[in-house]
Amino acid sequence: MRIDMHVHSTASDGVLKPSEIIDWAVQLRLKGVAITDHDTVDGLEEAAQSAKAYKDFLFIPGIEFSTQFMDHEVHILGYWIDYKDPGIITLTEKIKDDRTQRGRRIIEKLKELGYNITFEEVLSVTKGGAVGRPHIGRLLVDKGYGRTIQETFETMLGKGKPAYIERFKLSPEEAISAIIKAKGVPVLAHPGLLNKRIDVIDIIQKGIKGIEVYHSKHEKSDSRRFLKIARNYDLLVTGGSDFHDSFASKRPTIGSEGVSVDELHEFLNK
Ligand code: AMP
Ligand code: ZN
Ligand code: FE
Ligand code: FE
């Protein structure tokens, strides 16, 4: 029985609502699911309520913080967080406000560059969720300004491109401390995607308690390497699909990666 520990909802840049993720996870015969939206806890109450309808189904409230270390992105997952904790609410609201302001600035840049796009259109896509570049990319594709979101990053939205704007970023230490204060477990997300100049061990030593060994973008060799690190440093082994919007035969690819219930129990009993 598998648990997918990394899924994004409409609370950040995923396409399914938190309740839809729970329903799908049950339908796909998963034992449980963690919702881990970027820098927000907004979807977690809805998911927790939906999960109550299913007996023996495990819902893990999570978050995925984007942090910056040595000028590179480092994503840190937090599991079993108390999403009503005032500290995590204040912090995530601050990050969300910054994302809104930054989204506005990206749209202003695009307008200056001659694109026909408004911030109101972005808000109609995000529907109250945090504003991310993927939303803007999707809108640009819909308007015919690119074939894929990837392409809009390469031409406009990516770092160093004409419509790029930095956003406020936490340090890994700040994210880890916010997760621990909210009684959560800090886990290093998809270490296989880290910039090669970053040493995984440096991040682990900042107080990380788990490592995402299995991930849809990891090679088998990545997983083997991180499993060894998990054993050496006594870390929780996690895994997940990082589902945003990819479907296969009309089914979301939730559960394409994950961990077994037994693996989690072993950790939880410690
Ligand atoms: P943001 O958090 O608004 O800076 O956007 C970052 C998100 O954009 C990442 O979490 C990815 O999901 C997505 N992303 C980053 N680079 C690319 C790319 N080259 N093509 C498509 N999506 C990307
Ligand atoms: Zn994302
Ligand atoms: Fe990530
Ligand atoms: Fe993610």
Side-chain angles (χ1 to χ4, degrees), residues 120-136:
E120 284 60 44
E121 290 172 312
V122 177
L123 292 179
S124 73
V125 179
T126 59
K127 297 189 186 73
V131 179
R133 285 177 294 161
H135 297 117
I136 299 174

PDB file of all heavy atoms in Angstrom, residues 120-136:
ATOM      1  N   GLU A 120      -5.584  40.894 -13.743  1.00  0.00           N
ATOM      2  CA  GLU A 120      -6.909  40.326 -13.432  1.00  0.00           C
ATOM      3  C   GLU A 120      -7.035  38.932 -14.056  1.00  0.00           C
ATOM      4  O   GLU A 120      -7.623  38.027 -13.468  1.00  0.00           O
ATOM      5  CB  GLU A 120      -8.030  41.238 -13.954  1.00  0.00           C
ATOM      6  CG  GLU A 120      -8.267  42.474 -13.101  1.00  0.00           C
ATOM      7  CD  GLU A 120      -7.036  43.383 -12.999  1.00  0.00           C
ATOM      8  OE1 GLU A 120      -6.384  43.626 -14.055  1.00  0.00           O
ATOM      9  OE2 GLU A 120      -6.715  43.816 -11.892  1.00  0.00           O
ATOM     10  N   GLU A 121      -6.478  38.780 -15.254  1.00  0.00           N
ATOM     11  CA  GLU A 121      -6.527  37.460 -15.905  1.00  0.00           C
ATOM     12  C   GLU A 121      -5.738  36.428 -15.099  1.00  0.00           C
ATOM     13  O   GLU A 121      -6.141  35.272 -14.979  1.00  0.00           O
ATOM     14  CB  GLU A 121      -5.972  37.549 -17.335  1.00  0.00           C
ATOM     15  CG  GLU A 121      -6.884  38.325 -18.269  1.00  0.00           C
ATOM     16  CD  GLU A 121      -6.232  38.574 -19.625  1.00  0.00           C
ATOM     17  OE1 GLU A 121      -5.056  39.024 -19.667  1.00  0.00           O
ATOM     18  OE2 GLU A 121      -6.883  38.318 -20.636  1.00  0.00           O
ATOM     19  N   VAL A 122      -4.613  36.870 -14.542  1.00  0.00           N
ATOM     20  CA  VAL A 122      -3.810  35.960 -13.709  1.00  0.00           C
ATOM     21  C   VAL A 122      -4.641  35.533 -12.496  1.00  0.00           C
ATOM     22  O   VAL A 122      -4.709  34.349 -12.154  1.00  0.00           O
ATOM     23  CB  VAL A 122      -2.499  36.641 -13.244  1.00  0.00           C
ATOM     24  CG1 VAL A 122      -1.716  35.716 -12.320  1.00  0.00           C
ATOM     25  CG2 VAL A 122      -1.651  37.041 -14.444  1.00  0.00           C
ATOM     26  N   LEU A 123      -5.308  36.507 -11.869  1.00  0.00           N
ATOM     27  CA  LEU A 123      -6.111  36.186 -10.678  1.00  0.00           C
ATOM     28  C   LEU A 123      -7.254  35.233 -11.006  1.00  0.00           C
ATOM     29  O   LEU A 123      -7.647  34.424 -10.165  1.00  0.00           O
ATOM     30  CB  LEU A 123      -6.665  37.473 -10.050  1.00  0.00           C
ATOM     31  CG  LEU A 123      -5.620  38.402  -9.428  1.00  0.00           C
ATOM     32  CD1 LEU A 123      -6.268  39.647  -8.851  1.00  0.00           C
ATOM     33  CD2 LEU A 123      -4.805  37.683  -8.353  1.00  0.00           C
ATOM     34  N   SER A 124      -7.759  35.299 -12.240  1.00  0.00           N
ATOM     35  CA  SER A 124      -8.839  34.380 -12.604  1.00  0.00           C
ATOM     36  C   SER A 124      -8.300  32.961 -12.793  1.00  0.00           C
ATOM     37  O   SER A 124      -9.039  31.986 -12.716  1.00  0.00           O
ATOM     38  CB  SER A 124      -9.575  34.859 -13.860  1.00  0.00           C
ATOM     39  OG  SER A 124      -8.769  34.664 -14.993  1.00  0.00           O
ATOM     40  N   VAL A 125      -6.995  32.849 -13.017  1.00  0.00           N
ATOM     41  CA  VAL A 125      -6.380  31.517 -13.112  1.00  0.00           C
ATOM     42  C   VAL A 125      -6.024  30.994 -11.718  1.00  0.00           C
ATOM     43  O   VAL A 125      -6.228  29.821 -11.410  1.00  0.00           O
ATOM     44  CB  VAL A 125      -5.096  31.562 -13.986  1.00  0.00           C
ATOM     45  CG1 VAL A 125      -4.448  30.188 -14.052  1.00  0.00           C
ATOM     46  CG2 VAL A 125      -5.399  32.053 -15.383  1.00  0.00           C
ATOM     47  N   THR A 126      -5.504  31.859 -10.863  1.00  0.00           N
ATOM     48  CA  THR A 126      -5.032  31.390  -9.548  1.00  0.00           C
ATOM     49  C   THR A 126      -6.188  31.173  -8.578  1.00  0.00           C
ATOM     50  O   THR A 126      -6.031  30.419  -7.609  1.00  0.00           O
ATOM     51  CB  THR A 126      -4.048  32.388  -8.908  1.00  0.00           C
ATOM     52  OG1 THR A 126      -4.702  33.652  -8.752  1.00  0.00           O
ATOM     53  CG2 THR A 126      -2.823  32.580  -9.771  1.00  0.00           C
ATOM     54  N   LYS A 127      -7.315  31.822  -8.827  1.00  0.00           N
ATOM     55  CA  LYS A 127      -8.518  31.645  -7.998  1.00  0.00           C
ATOM     56  C   LYS A 127      -8.220  31.734  -6.503  1.00  0.00           C
ATOM     57  O   LYS A 127      -8.633  30.879  -5.716  1.00  0.00           O
ATOM     58  CB  LYS A 127      -9.174  30.288  -8.294  1.00  0.00           C
ATOM     59  CG  LYS A 127      -9.681  30.154  -9.720  1.00  0.00           C
ATOM     60  CD  LYS A 127     -10.503  28.880  -9.869  1.00  0.00           C
ATOM     61  CE  LYS A 127     -10.922  28.624 -11.296  1.00  0.00           C
ATOM     62  NZ  LYS A 127      -9.786  28.170 -12.153  1.00  0.00           N
ATOM     63  N   GLY A 128      -7.454  32.749  -6.120  1.00  0.00           N
ATOM     64  CA  GLY A 128      -7.175  32.955  -4.700  1.00  0.00           C
ATOM     65  C   GLY A 128      -5.913  32.272  -4.200  1.00  0.00           C
ATOM     66  O   GLY A 128      -5.455  32.539  -3.103  1.00  0.00           O
ATOM     67  N   GLY A 129      -5.354  31.375  -5.003  1.00  0.00           N
ATOM     68  CA  GLY A 129      -4.108  30.706  -4.617  1.00  0.00           C
ATOM     69  C   GLY A 129      -2.912  31.630  -4.839  1.00  0.00           C
ATOM     70  O   GLY A 129      -3.052  32.715  -5.398  1.00  0.00           O
ATOM     71  N   ALA A 130      -1.750  31.190  -4.367  1.00  0.00           N
ATOM     72  CA  ALA A 130      -0.539  31.988  -4.525  1.00  0.00           C
ATOM     73  C   ALA A 130      -0.163  32.091  -6.004  1.00  0.00           C
ATOM     74  O   ALA A 130      -0.296  31.124  -6.753  1.00  0.00           O
ATOM     75  CB  ALA A 130       0.599  31.366  -3.739  1.00  0.00           C
ATOM     76  N   VAL A 131       0.299  33.267  -6.406  1.00  0.00           N
ATOM     77  CA  VAL A 131       0.636  33.500  -7.814  1.00  0.00           C
ATOM     78  C   VAL A 131       2.023  32.944  -8.129  1.00  0.00           C
ATOM     79  O   VAL A 131       3.000  33.297  -7.466  1.00  0.00           O
ATOM     80  CB  VAL A 131       0.608  35.015  -8.126  1.00  0.00           C
ATOM     81  CG1 VAL A 131       0.981  35.273  -9.582  1.00  0.00           C
ATOM     82  CG2 VAL A 131      -0.762  35.601  -7.802  1.00  0.00           C
ATOM     83  N   GLY A 132       2.106  32.100  -9.127  1.00  0.00           N
ATOM     84  CA  GLY A 132       3.396  31.558  -9.544  1.00  0.00           C
ATOM     85  C   GLY A 132       3.624  31.778 -11.030  1.00  0.00           C
ATOM     86  O   GLY A 132       2.676  31.998 -11.782  1.00  0.00           O
ATOM     87  N   ARG A 133       4.877  31.709 -11.418  1.00  0.00           N
ATOM     88  CA  ARG A 133       5.176  31.872 -12.853  1.00  0.00           C
ATOM     89  C   ARG A 133       4.464  30.832 -13.725  1.00  0.00           C
ATOM     90  O   ARG A 133       4.086  31.145 -14.853  1.00  0.00           O
ATOM     91  CB  ARG A 133       6.689  31.842 -13.075  1.00  0.00           C
ATOM     92  CG  ARG A 133       7.380  33.130 -12.642  1.00  0.00           C
ATOM     93  CD  ARG A 133       8.867  33.038 -12.817  1.00  0.00           C
ATOM     94  NE  ARG A 133       9.448  32.047 -11.922  1.00  0.00           N
ATOM     95  CZ  ARG A 133      10.634  31.491 -12.080  1.00  0.00           C
ATOM     96  NH1 ARG A 133      11.385  31.814 -13.125  1.00  0.00           N
ATOM     97  NH2 ARG A 133      11.088  30.608 -11.210  1.00  0.00           N
ATOM     98  N   PRO A 134       4.271  29.583 -13.248  1.00  0.00           N
ATOM     99  CA  PRO A 134       3.538  28.631 -14.102  1.00  0.00           C
ATOM    100  C   PRO A 134       2.142  29.121 -14.485  1.00  0.00           C
ATOM    101  O   PRO A 134       1.669  28.857 -15.593  1.00  0.00           O
ATOM    102  CB  PRO A 134       3.466  27.371 -13.242  1.00  0.00           C
ATOM    103  CG  PRO A 134       4.652  27.470 -12.339  1.00  0.00           C
ATOM    104  CD  PRO A 134       4.785  28.934 -12.032  1.00  0.00           C
ATOM    105  N   HIS A 135       1.472  29.856 -13.562  1.00  0.00           N
ATOM    106  CA  HIS A 135       0.152  30.399 -13.895  1.00  0.00           C
ATOM    107  C   HIS A 135       0.270  31.380 -15.052  1.00  0.00           C
ATOM    108  O   HIS A 135      -0.537  31.378 -15.975  1.00  0.00           O
ATOM    109  CB  HIS A 135      -0.446  31.163 -12.711  1.00  0.00           C
ATOM    110  CG  HIS A 135      -0.707  30.316 -11.501  1.00  0.00           C
ATOM    111  ND1 HIS A 135      -0.070  30.517 -10.309  1.00  0.00           N
ATOM    112  CD2 HIS A 135      -1.542  29.270 -11.311  1.00  0.00           C
ATOM    113  CE1 HIS A 135      -0.512  29.626  -9.414  1.00  0.00           C
ATOM    114  NE2 HIS A 135      -1.399  28.853 -10.009  1.00  0.00           N
ATOM    115  N   ILE A 136       1.267  32.246 -14.966  1.00  0.00           N
ATOM    116  CA  ILE A 136       1.456  33.259 -16.009  1.00  0.00           C
ATOM    117  C   ILE A 136       1.832  32.570 -17.320  1.00  0.00           C
ATOM    118  O   ILE A 136       1.336  32.927 -18.385  1.00  0.00           O
ATOM    119  CB  ILE A 136       2.515  34.295 -15.558  1.00  0.00           C
ATOM    120  CG1 ILE A 136       2.016  34.990 -14.277  1.00  0.00           C
ATOM    121  CG2 ILE A 136       2.809  35.302 -16.667  1.00  0.00           C
ATOM    122  CD1 ILE A 136       3.020  35.944 -13.634  1.00  0.00           C
TER     123      ILE A 136
END
